[in-house]
Amino acid sequence: MANPRLLLPRILCVAAVAAFYACLPAPVSAIRKDIGFAAPIICRSTVQGRHLISDDNGYVCSALSIDPWSRCCPRTGGRFSCQGCNLDSQCCNSYEYCVSCCLNPSRTKEADVLKLKVAKPVTAGTYTNIFDFCMGRCRHSSASVVHENAYLSDFHHCFLVQQNSSAGSTESNFGSRLDGINVILGRQGESCSSACRAKGQSCVPSRLAELNKCQILQKYMRCKNGCFPSLGPDQPAEVVDEAPKNLNPGACLYMQMDDRLTCDGSHRHTRRLCPCA
C-alpha cells in the first residue's frame, strides 16, 4: 500500500493542472460564417478632361486628387456642384461640372432618363443609369456649334433631358393655336421672313414658339438623326444632309429659349420651319 504522504503531492498537482485547463476558453470547433469583409467602394469617373474629374457620386476633383484605388473623388467639396452652369438653359462651361450638376436627382429624374434612347434608330438601346446619360449628354454636340468650327456659347455642355416633344400641348391644342397660320418649310439658308415673303405672306414671330417642339419638327421634317436643343437664330430648323459631318446632318434643332426666337435668322446649312400668314 502506497504511503499517503507520497500520494498527497501528486493529488494536489493533478488538481492544479485540472483547474488551469478549466480556465482556458473552449476550443473552436468550426470556422465562423458570420464574419465578413466590407465590399470595396469603386467609383466610375469621367475621363474627358486633363485637369478635372467627376465621379458617379456627383463630386468633382482634380485629376491628381482622385483616389487611385477606388477612382472616387474626395468628399470634401460640394456634391452635385453646378459651378459655371446656367441653370435656366441647363448648360455649363465645364464638362465635369455639367456631369456633376446633371447627377442631382432634383434636376434629372431617373425615371425620365431610363426611357430615353441612346441614339435615334429604333434598334438603339436605352440608358442604363443616370451617370451614363449625364456623361453622354454633357459632351458638346453639333447643336452647340456655329459656322462649323466655333461654339455658339461658352456654355456648350448641356444636360437638358430631351422632353421637348411632350412639353407642349396635345395635337388638337397645337392646331387651334395655329389657326390661320401656314406652316412652311424654308429653303436651305433662307430665313422665315424670306420664306414667307416668297409666298406673299409675312412671318408671325409670336407663333414660332408653337413650332419650336420636337413633335412638331418631326411632323414636318424627317429629323432622321434626332432632335436636339440648341441655341441659334435659325431655329427651329433641320440640318441639311449635305452639311459637314460635325454639324450632324439630318438632325432637327429647337431653340432652348423661346424668347430668342426670330423670323430673320438663317444658317447656310439648315432649313427653317416657319409660321406664315
Side-chain angles (χ1 to χ4, degrees), residues 46-226:
T46 58
V47 293
Q48 181 162 323
R50 284 193 225 170
H51 308 294
L52 293 177
I53 287 177
S54 176
D55 67 22
D56 57 0
N57 288 317
Y59 291 96
V60 177
C61 62
S62 69
L64 296 177
S65 65
I66 194 169
D67 188 294
W69 299 103
S70 68
R71 303 301 298 167
C72 297
C73 284
R75 301 193 177 188
T76 52
R79 193 180 186 190
F80 307 131
S81 173
C82 296
Q83 179 179 321
C85 297
N86 182 326
L87 297 183
D88 291 331
S89 64
Q90 296 187 19
C91 294
C92 310
N93 58 15
S94 162
Y95 173 70
E96 289 74 23
Y97 281 105
C98 176
V99 173
S100 173
C101 192
C102 172
L103 287 171
N104 191 331
S106 67
R107 301 188 186 283
T108 307
K109 306 298 182 184
E110 185 175 22
D112 295 334
V113 166
L114 298 186
K115 293 184 292 186
L116 296 177
K117 287 187 175 295
V118 177
K120 178 67 174 178
V122 179
T123 55
T126 54
Y127 290 100
T128 57
N129 54 68
I130 293 181
F131 188 61
D132 283 340
F133 166 80
C134 292
M135 283 200 303
R137 195 73 190 92
C138 284
R139 291 190 178 95
H140 52 255
S141 68
S142 60
S144 62
V145 178
V146 67
H147 302 313
E148 304 179 22
N149 58 2
Y151 291 117
L152 289 164
S153 164
D154 288 338
F155 299 88
H156 52 264
H157 299 284
C158 304
F159 59 90
L160 183 69
V161 177
Q162 297 175 32
Q163 291 183 311
N164 186 264
S165 60
S166 61
S169 302
T170 61
E171 194 72 22
S172 59
N173 287 338
F174 161 70
S176 64
R177 291 181 181 182
L178 289 176
D179 285 344
I181 297 296
N182 184 20
V183 179
I184 292 176
L185 180 59
R187 293 175 298 179
Q188 180 177 341
E190 185 177 37
S191 70
C192 280
S193 296
S194 297
C196 293
R197 192 180 305 117
K199 300 291 184 180
Q201 298 179 324
S202 298
C203 176
V204 184
S206 62
R207 291 295 179 266
L208 278 169
E210 302 303 324
L211 305 182
N212 192 44
K213 299 176 175 65
C214 280
Q215 70 180 96
I216 306 306
L217 285 166
Q218 290 165 346
K219 178 178 179 179
Y220 289 94
M221 298 170 163
R222 290 181 298 166
C223 303
K224 64 181 181 180
N225 278 340

Side-chain angles (χ1 to χ4, degrees), residues 16-57:
V17 171
F20 171 76
Y21 279 105
C23 295
L24 294 178
V28 178
S29 59
I31 298 175
R32 291 183 60 184
K33 297 182 180 180
D34 59 342
I35 298 177
F37 296 96
I41 298 175
I42 302 295
C43 294
R44 295 180 62 200
S45 56
T46 58
V47 293
Q48 181 162 323
R50 284 193 225 170
H51 308 294
L52 293 177
I53 287 177
S54 176
D55 67 22
D56 57 0
N57 288 317

